[in-house]
Amino acid sequence: MTEQDFNWKLKETADRVTVALDALIPVVSGPESELLSAMRYAALGGGKRLRPYLLLATGRLFGVDERSLLRASAALECVHSYSLVHDDLPCMDDDDLRRGRPTLHKAYNEATAILAGDALLTLAFEILGDEQTHRDPHVRIGLINSLARAAGCRGMVGGQAIDMSGAMLGNDIAAVTRMQRLKTGALFNCAVEAGAILGHASNEARHALLAFAHDFGLVFQITDDILDVEGSEDETGKAVNKDDDHGKATFVSLLGLENAKSQVSILCKQAKAHLNIFGESSNDLIELVDNIENRQN
Ligand code: GRG
């Protein structure tokens, strides 16, 4: 599959998730209209929708109903969008640009950005808890637990807290890897786990998928660090060279650019090998790995 074909496929997924989110975050009039409008700005305004792509591709391995997959994907994207809104705030990363547009607190104001993030996080659990996501309450509880673990203090928020605390990670690559695994990797894990939960995957399949997600998350983060050095603001839609400016340890600063690139290539091979048990049905996941290995944004 050519890069252009894959990009069409990714865009098709992104559009379907955007349609689902559009229905789940309605335009309203009245006193809370500003909040809903800010939530829509954050959740509908672009993004590659990688986590939904992972969730959909994993669920399809097991023939899961598309409606369930789209609702679970929308929930995951609500959490991802909230994390970006809060991460961009002046008290965190203090960014003015996200997805090629002003960040939410610049387009609205800080209080609205905090509240829109809070409301998106809560909405995610409302979506997963709804019968329309899956008729079996055990499946719904599995999804809720998976997202809560991934997003909370032992996952994304925990990783963000370590990153913000200025904890002396120094040149300790194991500590930096752990922080990134929590901060960024946990939601990728959850995407794949959610597909497996909805698909009632066997233990063997679940282990293979989680091993895949582990390697994929690292590839994503290392390529993100490479783009921070080599990418442009136009291509990435966000400020570049931020990590260097803040003196933060990254995979590039720790390994050097060339070693970081070699590590990406090793991890990509390893990630794809974990999918061998699924044969050709895992092609959508394999194509995603190939695309992220060469990504420009
Ligand atoms: C504030 C609770 C809280 C958590 C923030 C994930 C995170 C934790 C912060 C994001 C900071 C950041 C830019 C990390 C680099 C990796 C990353 C998550 C990039 C953005 O994800 P993409 O590329 O974004 O999937 P799009 O815009 O395509 O959805």
Side-chain angles (χ1 to χ4, degrees), residues 1-16 48-49 53 56-57 60 280-288 291:
M1 172 172 273
T2 66
E3 192 185 332
Q4 198 185 18
D5 288 342
F6 180 81
N7 286 338
W8 272 110
K9 198 159 148 175
L10 191 59
K11 184 169 179 322
E12 197 256 345
T13 304
D15 289 347
R16 294 184 65 206
K48 297 179 287 297
R49 311 288 196 205
Y53 182 99
L56 280 149
R60 283 177 190 148
E280 285 194 0
S281 56
S282 62
N283 277 355
D284 286 348
L285 291 172
I286 288 172
E287 285 158 11
L288 177 65
N291 179 270

Side-chain angles (χ1 to χ4, degrees), residues 49-104:
R49 311 288 196 205
L50 295 177
R51 295 148 194 84
Y53 182 99
L54 276 170
L55 199 160
L56 280 149
T58 306
R60 283 177 190 148
L61 287 173
F62 307 102
V64 177
D65 175 56
E66 288 283 312
R67 182 182 164 85
S68 294
L69 294 176
L70 276 172
R71 286 183 61 93
S73 297
L76 199 53
E77 203 61 8
C78 283
V79 172
H80 171 57
S81 304
Y82 122 75
S83 80
L84 298 181
V85 169
H86 282 194
D87 186 64
D88 290 335
L89 287 168
C91 61
M92 298 228 193
D93 220 22
D94 193 12
D95 271 306
D96 296 347
L97 193 66
R98 167 74 60 191
R99 294 171 171 168
R101 300 181 310 170
T103 45
L104 188 56

Side-chain angles (χ1 to χ4, degrees), residues 88-221:
D88 290 335
L89 287 168
C91 61
M92 298 228 193
D93 220 22
D94 193 12
D95 271 306
D96 296 347
L97 193 66
R98 167 74 60 191
R99 294 171 171 168
R101 300 181 310 170
T103 45
L104 188 56
H105 65 274
K106 287 280 168 192
Y108 290 75
N109 56 61
E110 272 184 57
T112 305
I114 292 169
L115 292 172
D118 292 342
L120 283 167
L121 172 62
T122 322
L123 176 63
F125 291 98
E126 187 182 329
I127 296 168
L128 293 183
D130 192 299
E131 269 185 12
Q132 292 180 66
T133 299
H134 200 281
R135 64 183 178 285
D136 182 348
H138 294 104
V139 169
R140 299 203 298 273
I141 288 171
L143 293 173
I144 289 169
N145 276 340
S146 173
L147 185 58
R149 274 196 310 272
C153 58
R154 283 183 292 274
M156 182 180 75
V157 172
Q160 177 80 347
I162 297 169
D163 199 16
M164 296 297 305
S165 71
M168 283 300 142
L169 303 180
N171 289 339
D172 183 347
I173 190 154
V176 172
T177 305
R178 177 171 180 272
M179 182 272 287
Q180 296 292 6
R181 288 280 317 126
L182 296 175
K183 183 176 147 180
T184 337
L187 274 198
F188 287 124
N189 270 37
C190 178
V192 165
E193 189 169 58
I197 291 169
L198 284 164
H200 299 283
S202 67
N203 279 343
E204 187 197 9
R206 216 178 261 238
H207 281 129
L209 286 164
L210 288 178
F212 163 81
H214 177 275
D215 292 343
F216 177 84
L218 283 175
V219 168
F220 177 86
Q221 190 56 54

Side-chain angles (χ1 to χ4, degrees), residues 173 215 218-230 249-268 292-294:
I173 190 154
D215 292 343
L218 283 175
V219 168
F220 177 86
Q221 190 56 54
I222 303 173
T223 52
D224 205 69
D225 290 350
I226 294 172
L227 277 179
D228 191 56
V229 175
E230 288 195 327
T250 68
F251 287 108
V252 173
S253 72
L254 292 169
L255 298 171
L257 192 54
E258 288 317 307
N259 280 339
K261 287 181 181 176
S262 310
Q263 200 58 39
V264 165
S265 145
I266 292 166
L267 283 164
C268 285
I292 294 299
E293 184 170 8
N294 302 308

